[in-house]
């Protein structure tokens, strides 16, 4: 089944403790992206990647890092999480680097930073 | 300021009623998409519209792209409880290349 898999689904952590949220897609998509979703603000892009070793900042990149060493994986790294990074995170992928592409989203990771 | 404003933010209706959700912007979009998101899941693409004035139908859902490609609407006929969810519009601005920007969302609840 074609899908985007995120792990974990739920995570509670403490301020400053480094964490990684994994994202993997099995559709050989070139384009991958991370979003955070907050009430009243919709989905905001954190980082995106057009292909292996090519990443760029989205609208809200502060406090986050990403890497794209393999086509299928696009982990999101929070080096020193803070409470304002408490949010619902989604990974998405698309066949091409184009907003007109068919975006497939993961099921989300709900992160709480205390 | 949000690039894509959706209205209403919240909508609670009775099964069988009709409703319209709006997605507005001052920018021109080369394409616009609508997604539905159910609790605990990621958004799922419903439709993409690319031509000004374009109308697409998906069963009881009708999507329209404004003539000037600055706005879109989603009309649901005879809503059912299964339509409950968060509806998101997302567009690619002509001036921003390929970046997809999401709207603020409309949360719909359909009561049996």
């Amino acid at each position: 089944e074609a899908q985007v898999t995120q792990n974990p689904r739920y995570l509670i952590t403490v301020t400053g403790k480094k964490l990684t949220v994994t994202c993997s897609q099995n559709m050989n998509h070139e384009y991958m992206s991370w979003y955070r979703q907050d009430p009243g603000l919709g989905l905001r892009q954190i980082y995106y990647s057009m292909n292996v070793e090519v990443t760029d900042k989205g609208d809200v990149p502060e406090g986050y890092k990403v890497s794209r060493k393999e086509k299928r994986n696009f982990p999101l790294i929070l080096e020193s999480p803070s409470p304002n990074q408490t949010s619902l995170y989604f990974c998405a992928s698309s066949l091409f680097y184009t907003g007109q592409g068919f975006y497939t989203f993961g099921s989300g990771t709900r992160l709480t930073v205390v | 300021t949000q690039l894509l404003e959706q209205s209403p933010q919240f909508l609670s209706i009775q099964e069988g009623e009709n409703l319209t959700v709006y997605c507005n912007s001052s920018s021109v979009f080369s394409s616009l998409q609508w997604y539905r998101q159910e609790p605990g899941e990621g958004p799922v693409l419903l439709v993409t519209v690319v031509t000004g004035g374009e109308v697409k139908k998906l069963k009881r859902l009708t999507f329209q792209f404004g003539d000037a490609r600055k706005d879109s609407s989603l009309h649901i006929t005879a809503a059912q409880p299964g339509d409950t969810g968060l509806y998101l519009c997302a567009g690619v601005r002509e001036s921003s290349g390929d970046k997809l920007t999401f709207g603020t969302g409309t949360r719909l609840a359909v009561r049996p």
Side-chain angles (χ1 to χ4, degrees):
Chain A
E1 180 188 351
Q3 60 186 3
V4 175
T5 303
Q6 289 179 233
N7 279 297
R9 289 294 304 271
Y10 302 92
L11 180 58
I12 300 174
T13 189
V14 297
T15 299
K17 186 177 181 183
K18 180 179 178 179
L19 67 93
T20 300
V21 183
T22 64
C23 174
S24 179
Q25 50 95 2
N26 62 359
M27 297 166 281
N28 202 36
H29 283 174
E30 291 183 349
Y31 184 83
M32 297 185 75
S33 181
W34 276 102
Y35 292 86
R36 61 178 289 173
Q37 186 174 33
D38 301 288
L41 296 176
L43 282 157
R44 293 179 294 167
Q45 191 178 50
I46 302 170
Y47 268 95
Y48 64 94
S49 169
M50 292 179 280
N51 215 322
V52 175
E53 302 293 1
V54 181
T55 64
D56 208 346
K57 296 177 180 178
D59 297 317
V60 287
E62 293 77 23
Y64 305 94
K65 282 175 56 177
V66 293
S67 69
R68 188 93 180 271
K69 293 184 169 57
E70 308 163 277
K71 200 171 189 178
R72 63 183 290 124
N73 296 322
F74 190 45
L76 179 69
I77 303 154
L78 284 72
E79 294 272 3
S80 182
S82 61
N84 65 12
Q85 292 178 298
T86 292
S87 187
L88 180 57
Y89 291 87
F90 287 100
C91 179
S93 74
S94 176
L95 183 60
F96 303 113
Y97 172 50
T98 167
Q100 298 188 31
F102 185 114
Y103 273 46
T104 302
F105 282 83
S107 296
T109 296
R110 187 167 290 282
L111 172 65
T112 302
V113 183
V114 298
Chain B
T1 305
Q2 290 285 345
L3 187 62
L4 278 167
E5 295 280 353
Q6 286 185 237
S7 61
Q9 263 192 296
F10 303 96
L11 192 54
S12 180
I13 62 171
Q14 202 71 36
E15 181 176 0
E17 293 182 4
N18 302 332
L19 67 113
T20 302
V21 175
Y22 299 94
C23 176
N24 295 301
S25 177
S26 57
S27 299
V28 176
F29 288 84
S30 57
S31 68
L32 207 133
Q33 301 176 345
W34 284 92
Y35 291 80
R36 179 168 67 211
Q37 183 180 9
E38 298 185 18
E41 297 298 328
V44 175
L45 181 68
L46 297 173
V47 77
T48 301
V49 285
V50 297
T51 306
E54 183 177 1
V55 176
K56 281 192 174 178
K57 294 196 174 189
L58 189 66
K59 296 184 182 177
R60 293 175 295 99
L61 279 61
T62 302
F63 305 86
Q64 183 158 8
F65 201 11
D67 291 339
R69 290 183 288 129
K70 292 184 177 181
D71 54 84
S72 181
S73 64
L74 157 60
H75 182 79
I76 302 179
T77 303
Q80 298 178 1
D83 296 327
T84 293
L86 179 68
Y87 288 82
L88 295 159
C89 65
V92 177
R93 270 190 303 168
E94 278 196 333
S95 59
S96 71
D98 300 317
K99 181 176 167 57
L100 186 67
T101 301
F102 282 83
T104 48
T106 294
R107 191 165 295 281
L108 171 66
V110 182
R111 303 185 303 275

